[in-house]
Amino acid sequence: AQKVTQAQTEISVVEKEDVTLDCVYETRDTTYYLFWYKQPPSGELVFLIRRNSFDEQNEISGRYSWNFQKSTSSFNFTITASQVVDSAVYFCALSEYEDSNYQLIWGAGTKLIIKP
Amino acid sequence: EAQVTQNPRYLITVTGKKLTVTCSQNMNHEYMSWYRQDPGLGLRQIYYSMNVEVTDKGDVPEGYKVSRKEKRNFPLILESPSPNQTSLYFCASSHRTGYQETQYFGPGTRLLVL
């Protein structure tokens, strides 16, 4: 069965430090998608990135970057020069189609605290 | 503005009193789904719908019903709510083109069942 593991329950860093959030996934499929979402204290879910299984290029968006490594089934998320506004819970998710059924499996989330 | 709306945003009810949480999207997406979020468990899928009149169970469907009579609406029905259904609920919609897909989430509905 597919699974998403975010081993870090909570991370606390001081502003301007770099921080990496880990995500490890399990799947039997060759075609799948990986996502990262942010959930700030206000509660809404904010889409950050989607990556399909055929695209292993790393991606950078401002202070955010993602490292997709198929060999280790990992899709890690790094925030460079963190800011207090980055404080949130971050979720990694895996989606795939199994027997024509769509499934989206979420990790338990990592709570990121950025201290001023 | 492209969006997913949910109503109500907050609801306190009592055990056994039927309730419906509405979900509507204005993006003409085929795919819609419901999730519940509980502390330490992340999001778990309740039901999803690939298109009108097509619905299927997710990971935790017990105690819930859904319907998809129109493309834009996907209500979540709790026929006889119980305290273990106290949770934060999210509705989502998406459109898939080849390998491109992004889920858009509603703002969430906080439900307390006494």
Side-chain angles (χ1 to χ4, degrees), chain B residues 16-81:
Chain B
K17 187 176 180 184
K18 181 179 178 180
L19 66 92
T20 299
V21 184
T22 64
C23 173
S24 183
Q25 49 97 1
N26 62 1
M27 296 167 278
N28 202 36
H29 286 166
E30 297 90 5
Y31 181 89
M32 297 184 75
S33 59
W34 276 103
Y35 297 89
R36 61 178 287 172
Q37 183 179 18
D38 303 291
L41 295 176
L43 276 79
R44 293 179 292 168
Q45 192 174 51
I46 303 170
Y47 268 94
Y48 63 94
S49 168
M50 302 290 278
N51 214 323
V52 175
E53 301 293 359
V54 180
T55 64
D56 213 338
K57 296 177 181 178
D59 297 320
V60 287
E62 296 77 20
Y64 304 94
K65 284 174 57 177
V66 293
S67 70
R68 189 88 183 274
K69 294 187 173 63
E70 310 162 276
K71 203 171 190 180
R72 63 182 291 127
N73 296 323
F74 190 45
L76 179 70
I77 303 154
L78 284 71
E79 294 271 3
S80 183

Side-chain angles (χ1 to χ4, degrees), chain A residues 4-8 11 20-25 33-39 45-51 64-68 74-79 89-94 104 106-111, chain B residues 102-103 105:
Chain A
V4 177
T5 302
Q6 293 180 256
Q8 304 147 310
I11 301 174
T20 295
L21 282 59
D22 298 332
C23 174
V24 174
Y25 62 93
Y33 309 90
L34 294 162
F35 301 81
W36 276 95
Y37 284 88
K38 174 182 180 180
Q39 188 175 41
L45 284 162
V46 179
F47 166 80
L48 294 178
I49 190 172
R50 171 198 59 242
R51 172 66 76 229
Y64 295 171
S65 61
W66 291 269
N67 184 310
F68 178 27
S74 65
F75 187 44
N76 297 336
F77 172 35
T78 297
I79 302 175
V89 179
Y90 291 85
F91 291 96
C92 179
L94 162 73
L104 183 62
W106 295 70
T110 296
K111 183 176 183 180
Chain B
T102 301
Q103 289 216 342
F105 284 85

Side-chain angles (χ1 to χ4, degrees), chain A:
Chain A
Q2 57 273 29
K3 193 167 111 173
V4 177
T5 302
Q6 293 180 256
Q8 304 147 310
T9 307
E10 184 174 306
I11 301 174
S12 181
V13 301
V14 177
E15 200 173 20
K16 297 184 185 172
E17 285 185 19
D18 299 347
V19 58
T20 295
L21 282 59
D22 298 332
C23 174
V24 174
Y25 62 93
E26 295 175 33
T27 180
R28 290 169 297 183
D29 271 17
T30 55
T31 303
Y32 52 90
Y33 309 90
L34 294 162
F35 301 81
W36 276 95
Y37 284 88
K38 174 182 180 180
Q39 188 175 41
S42 50
E44 75 271 22
L45 284 162
V46 179
F47 166 80
L48 294 178
I49 190 172
R50 171 198 59 242
R51 172 66 76 229
N52 75 60
S53 52
F54 296 104
D55 183 1
E56 287 193 70
Q57 273 194 329
N58 291 330
E59 179 146 343
I60 298 174
S61 176
R63 296 183 296 106
Y64 295 171
S65 61
W66 291 269
N67 184 310
F68 178 27
Q69 301 245 340
K70 232 172 170 177
S71 58
T72 56
S73 297
S74 65
F75 187 44
N76 297 336
F77 172 35
T78 297
I79 302 175
T80 303
S82 60
Q83 300 176 1
V84 172
V85 293
D86 296 326
S87 296
V89 179
Y90 291 85
F91 291 96
C92 179
L94 162 73
S95 77
E96 60 184 23
Y97 282 83
E98 187 172 300
D99 298 327
S100 300
N101 292 326
Y102 176 85
Q103 296 194 345
L104 183 62
I105 309 297
W106 295 70
T110 296
K111 183 176 183 180
L112 179 62
I113 300 168
I114 310 296
K115 298 184 218 173

